[in-house]
Amino acid sequence: MELEEKPKYGEPRKYDPTFKGPIQNRGCTDIVCCILFIVAILGYIAVGILAWSQGDPRKVIYPTDSRGQFCGQAGTPLEKKPFLFYFNIMKCASPMVLLEFQCPTTQMCVDKCPDKFMTLIKAYSNQKDFDYYRNFCKEGVTNSMGIPEILKQGLCPAMLTPSKPFTRRCFPALGLKGGVITVGNSSHFDDGSGKMRDAKDLVDGVKNATVVLEARQVVMKIFEDYTQSWYWILLGLVIAMLVSLLFIILLRFLAGIMVWVMIALVILVLGYGIFHCYMEYAALKGEPGSNVTLQELGFQTDFTVYLQIRQTWLAFMIILAIVEVIIILLLIFLRKRILIAVALIKEASRAIGHVMCSLFYPLFTFLLLAMVIAYWAVTAVFLSTSNEPIYKVFNETDCEHSRKTCDPANYTTSSMKAQCPDSECLFAFYGGETVYHKYLIGLQFYNVFLFFWCANFVTALGQMTLAGAFASYYWAFVKPDDMPAFPVFSSLGRSLRYHTGTLAFGSLILSIIQIIRVLLEYLDHKLKGAQNKFAKFLLCCLKCCFWCLEKFIKFLNRNAYIMVAIYGKNFCTSARDAFLLLMRNMIRVAVLDKVTDFLLFLGKLLIVGLVGIFAFFFFSGRVKAFEDTAPHLHYYWVPILTLVVGSYLIAHGFFSVYAMCVDTLFLCFCEDLERNDGSAARPYYMSSTLHEILWKNKAEDPSASDEDVRLKQQQEEDAT
């Protein structure tokens, strides 16, 4: 007897007269993963409490003097002394600065930076000058003390140079006159010992002192830009939200027209971008320094410098032109499929019309994601600032205790001070040797991993909730009479009550892949200077593979959540059923589902482009009408980039409702075709419009099976 060959992609669904859509009588799924997720959340809360009890964000905000005190901190004796002053900035030229991130010289908090040249010897002979000089000395300096005693105890610097505050630190006011480096309009200065020095000797000290602060400098400027423009950014995001909502509502009533208008506007916006880049490129022709290449320029903290180079605008123009050509070619080759996808979007609009509250569900997702991001960011800041101040021995002469850890409280009476009389115990950096500090990197890793897990869980909850709501619409034979009164809330309740473990399971798999990608990026950053080409190639392959794996898992999770919302089974069973169902309808997935995603992506691109162009002309001051209204910023690209990213996330949130609706209707349609045959005994649940769209696509496809064609012919005969 010949064994019957099993179908390659599983058995199709059988007719079930009792099936009426999302199953109400269901049980809890993936309970073990639910318990694991709850334990992980409790651990995350414990890590947050521990970080908040140990951390001190003031270490990031305020500069720290040699005693480990914060300059300018409110409510302390140093509240009115916000600037950090270096006794001898030239000692910052030591290579040790780049290793220990601390200049081997006394640093103290002052109310203002010195604005004149002065040596201790000259100031000591004039009471008025000496009173000014003592503003930059330690406590305890009196008129009765001699100059040798003051210098021996390290109470005052040997000299003062004109300085300016930079990131709350006093650095020499260096200038350039006739090709010669000057400080305070002079090319030479007295170093306090009677020796004249060149102003260029200060350059290395300033350079090394700022190398550690360059990143913080950019961050502080960006922070200042946010403080100046936050209300305009908020207004721009509100406009992006209103435009997205208006677009979705118009799509609900004018789907066909809006899709074609959207396609035309995207092409026009990209075309304008190409035109603007060309005009900027042409305008810089002949300008001094505009022909410098990006490679020659290197990395600059002032990003506006790049906009003064022709190569930057040429690169922008080429990128936009490539995107424009790709979109036009796709529209040409997919023109027939786009007509079918437009019809599918119309059907999705009808579904959303019956579940209007689904349009506002992304706001709930935004709120939950904002809470997750805020908790992660605050915990990360407190963890990174939970180290203790470390003090080390700094000296000018040879000393066996140099760079050893010391205690400033009793250093003057310690044996190290006795053996090295000219040494000082100064603040070096933040660190620690306790068990907590040893496992600090592990806590940071746990913080990042739980951030991914919680963010993916929130996204998964939104997908399953919307899937359940739209599935209840599809499987209602009489719409909307057979639908629940509140489909979104009913679906949200089922998801949280029965499927928290399933949501946690799916998001855990995705989070593990994402954390591996983060580690690969970290390794890639560390190996940038390596010469091993095989290691670079292997790392590049791994990054590519895990990127593809992440995309596949996201696709599989999304469809698995739809099956869970309908049937209430566990994650693995639902993922298998969804995958096999999609494989049995592979052609439809390729030509319809993905084309619809492409059209929705164009909608997001249009909203981002419109908001981005408006933000560019507003913040860059290119329009005279906005010159007095727009805030004055260090980097006008900061609010522009924030608005572009924010508007994309907002548009993605609203359009994700349509995307989830299309995916759910598509899977339900495939199930409907397998369960029913359109007869009076087994009628289809799909609307006649949807049946005509998708069945016509399948029947006209050359890859359609004989059984499908036979069924279509039979239906046509029954109709006649």
Side-chain angles (χ1 to χ4, degrees):
M1 182 177 176
E2 229 178 82
L3 291 174
E4 186 179 347
E5 185 179 354
K6 290 186 177 180
K8 186 176 180 181
Y9 298 115
E11 290 285 348
R13 294 280 182 181
K14 302 298 183 183
Y15 172 68
D16 182 2
T18 63
F19 180 74
K20 302 295 181 183
I23 296 173
Q24 301 298 324
N25 297 326
R26 57 179 72 193
C28 296
T29 55
D30 299 298
I31 299 175
V32 174
C33 204
C34 178
I35 296 172
L36 180 63
F37 183 64
I38 293 173
V39 172
I41 292 295
L42 293 176
Y44 198 21
I45 295 172
V47 169
I49 294 173
L50 183 63
W52 299 336
S53 64
Q54 299 289 328
D56 190 352
R58 295 175 302 176
K59 298 171 185 176
V60 177
I61 301 172
Y62 304 106
T64 308
D65 67 5
S66 297
R67 298 179 181 178
Q69 299 173 314
F70 302 114
C71 300
Q73 182 190 351
T76 67
L78 300 178
E79 180 178 0
K80 297 182 179 180
K81 296 183 177 183
F83 305 114
L84 188 69
F85 171 70
Y86 298 87
F87 269 31
N88 188 353
I89 191 68
M90 288 186 291
K91 288 186 178 180
C92 296
S94 167
M96 293 302 294
V97 175
L98 302 178
L99 299 176
E100 300 186 351
F101 301 100
Q102 186 73 2
C103 289
T105 184
T106 302
Q107 301 164 43
M108 62 177 293
C109 302
V110 295
D111 57 349
K112 63 178 181 178
C113 298
D115 56 5
K116 62 180 75 174
F117 268 121
M118 194 174 292
T119 63
L120 180 59
I121 296 174
K122 291 182 179 179
Y124 192 78
S125 59
N126 185 300
Q127 185 60 44
K128 184 178 179 181
D129 288 342
F130 191 59
D131 289 340
Y132 173 80
Y133 205 94
R134 280 194 295 184
N135 291 323
F136 307 97
C137 297
K138 295 180 180 179
E139 297 177 355
V141 178
T142 62
N143 294 331
S144 60
M145 300 176 68
I147 294 177
E149 183 182 0
I150 293 175
L151 293 176
K152 183 179 180 180
Q153 296 185 23
L155 298 176
C156 291
M159 64 168 182
L160 298 178
T161 59
S163 304
K164 291 182 178 179
F166 178 70
T167 63
R168 296 193 179 188
R169 289 160 175 82
C170 297
F171 291 120
L174 298 174
L176 195 64
K177 183 184 293 184
V180 179
I181 295 175
T182 62
V183 57
N185 295 321
S186 176
S187 59
H188 297 82
F189 65 94
D190 189 335
D191 66 357
S193 61
K195 182 180 178 181
M196 298 300 294
R197 302 281 294 270
D198 288 335
K200 65 181 181 181
D201 294 340
L202 295 168
V203 174
D204 288 338
V206 174
K207 184 178 179 181
N208 277 351
T210 57
V211 69
V212 181
L213 305 172
E214 282 187 357
R216 181 175 292 181
Q217 168 204 355
V218 176
V219 171
M220 290 301 294
K221 285 186 176 181
I222 291 174
F223 180 75
E224 290 176 10
D225 287 345
Y226 276 126
T227 60
Q228 294 292 324
S229 61
W230 66 269
Y231 44 91
W232 292 111
I233 294 175
L234 188 62
L235 179 61
L237 293 177
V238 171
I239 292 173
M241 185 177 69
L242 293 176
V243 171
S244 300
L245 187 59
L246 177 63
F247 199 92
I248 291 294
I249 292 173
L250 290 176
L251 204 61
R252 158 70 181 90
F253 297 102
L254 304 169
I257 298 174
M258 287 301 298
V259 168
W260 291 112
V261 169
M262 173 184 67
I263 292 172
L265 286 177
V266 167
I267 294 174
L268 289 175
V269 168
L270 288 174
Y272 174 77
I274 296 170
F275 170 75
H276 182 82
C277 291
Y278 173 76
M279 295 301 294
E280 293 286 349
Y281 175 78
L284 289 173
K285 185 178 181 180
E287 293 291 330
S290 63
N291 290 321
V292 176
T293 64
L294 293 173
Q295 187 176 5
E296 291 172 346
L297 184 63
F299 177 75
Q300 300 291 326
T301 54
D302 186 0
F303 294 100
T304 55
V305 173
Y306 295 106
L307 300 180
Q308 309 303 319
I309 299 174
R310 299 186 77 202
Q311 196 178 76
T312 302
W313 293 105
L314 180 62
F316 286 158
M317 185 168 59
I318 293 173
I319 292 171
L320 289 176
I322 292 173
V323 173
E324 178 94 324
V325 170
I326 290 174
I327 289 177
I328 291 175
L329 289 176
L330 285 173
L331 290 173
I332 293 172
F333 287 114
L334 298 175
R335 61 188 183 279
K336 290 185 178 179
R337 302 302 179 189
I338 288 174
L339 293 173
I340 300 173
V342 168
L344 186 58
I345 290 177
K346 287 182 179 179
E347 186 63 26
S349 298
R350 294 190 186 94
I352 291 175
H354 290 290
V355 194
M356 284 297 291
C357 57
S358 62
L359 290 177
F360 301 97
Y361 185 84
L363 299 177
F364 178 64
T365 301
F366 288 151
L367 177 62
L368 292 181
L369 283 176
M371 293 171 60
V372 171
I373 294 171
Y375 187 88
W376 163 77
V378 171
T379 304
V381 169
F382 274 86
L383 282 174
S384 61
T385 59
S386 59
N387 291 314
E388 299 172 348
I390 302 296
Y391 300 87
K392 290 196 173 186
V393 177
F394 292 94
N395 60 292
E396 296 185 0
T397 60
D398 291 335
C399 175
E400 61 176 319
H401 301 295
S402 178
R403 304 300 189 271
K404 288 186 177 179
T405 306
C406 58
D407 184 1
N410 57 8
Y411 185 72
T412 54
T413 59
S414 67
S415 59
M416 289 189 288
K417 180 69 173 178
Q419 295 177 25
C420 306
D422 64 338
S423 64
E424 292 183 278
C425 183
L426 305 178
F427 168 78
F429 53 85
Y430 289 103
E433 300 296 331
T434 64
V435 176
Y436 170 75
H437 295 103
K438 287 180 180 179
Y439 291 100
L440 195 58
I441 185 66
L443 296 177
Q444 286 281 24
F445 179 83
Y446 187 78
N447 183 36
V448 173
F449 180 73
L450 261 292
F451 164 71
F452 281 126
W453 197 357
C454 293
N456 289 326
F457 180 87
V458 170
T459 304
L461 176 63
Q463 291 174 346
M464 187 179 291
T465 300
L466 292 175
F470 293 127
S472 63
Y473 160 81
Y474 185 94
W475 295 108
F477 194 74
V478 180
K479 301 175 178 60
D481 296 344
D482 293 344
M483 292 174 58
F486 302 100
V488 173
F489 291 104
S490 299
S491 181
L492 177 63
R494 288 196 303 269
S495 301
L496 289 175
R497 181 179 178 183
Y498 299 109
H499 307 302
T500 299
T502 299
L503 295 170
F505 191 12
S507 54
L508 174 62
I509 296 172
L510 186 57
S511 301
I512 292 173
I513 295 171
Q514 289 173 336
I515 204 72
I516 292 174
R517 288 194 63 202
V518 170
L519 293 176
L520 289 174
E521 290 292 342
Y522 175 77
L523 287 176
D524 186 37
H525 177 73
K526 287 294 184 181
L527 293 175
K528 273 187 177 178
Q531 302 298 322
N532 192 331
K533 292 184 178 180
F534 176 75
K536 290 183 178 179
F537 173 75
L538 181 62
L539 192 60
C540 184
C541 291
L542 287 173
K543 288 169 62 178
C544 180
C545 290
F546 275 95
W547 180 84
C548 295
L549 181 60
E550 181 184 355
K551 294 298 180 183
F552 174 74
I553 292 298
K554 283 183 176 180
F555 173 76
L556 188 63
N557 283 6
R558 184 184 183 89
N559 289 283
Y561 297 144
I562 295 174
M563 300 301 282
V564 173
I566 298 173
Y567 295 104
K569 296 181 180 179
N570 61 44
F571 178 81
C572 292
T573 303
S574 300
R576 183 199 63 196
D577 292 344
F579 180 75
L580 294 177
L581 179 62
L582 291 172
M583 291 303 293
R584 292 196 296 269
N585 297 270
M586 193 184 307
I587 302 299
R588 288 194 180 101
V589 174
V591 301
L592 282 182
D593 199 35
K594 296 301 114 184
V595 173
T596 308
D597 289 343
F598 171 68
L599 292 179
L600 295 177
F601 171 74
L602 290 183
K604 291 182 272 187
L605 201 63
L606 174 62
I607 292 172
V608 170
L610 292 175
V611 173
I613 290 174
F614 176 78
F616 174 76
F617 283 110
F618 181 80
F619 289 108
S620 64
R622 300 296 178 96
V623 180
K624 292 184 178 180
F626 296 144
E627 281 183 345
D628 298 330
T629 308
H632 299 285
L633 307 171
H634 297 289
Y635 309 124
Y636 67 78
W637 54 264
V638 170
I640 295 174
L641 190 61
T642 304
L643 278 173
V644 166
V645 174
S647 59
Y648 177 81
L649 293 176
I650 290 172
H652 176 74
F654 282 103
F655 277 86
S656 65
V657 175
Y658 257 89
M660 201 68 210
C661 182
V662 169
D663 288 347
T664 304
L665 293 181
F666 184 78
L667 274 187
C668 291
F669 166 80
C670 295
E671 288 258 329
D672 197 6
L673 281 182
E674 293 183 351
R675 285 180 175 276
N676 305 301
D677 58 9
S679 63
R682 295 164 58 185
Y684 287 128
Y685 281 82
M686 70 188 79
S687 65
S688 57
T689 307
L690 183 62
H691 177 265
E692 182 182 352
I693 297 165
L694 297 181
W695 182 255
K696 180 180 179 181
N697 172 68
K698 179 66 179 176
E700 291 179 352
D701 198 296
S703 302
S705 65
D706 293 338
E707 180 64 20
D708 287 333
V709 175
R710 187 191 62 76
L711 285 172
K712 182 177 184 298
Q713 292 172 347
Q714 181 64 42
Q715 287 177 342
E716 290 176 350
E717 291 174 3
D718 293 341
T720 58

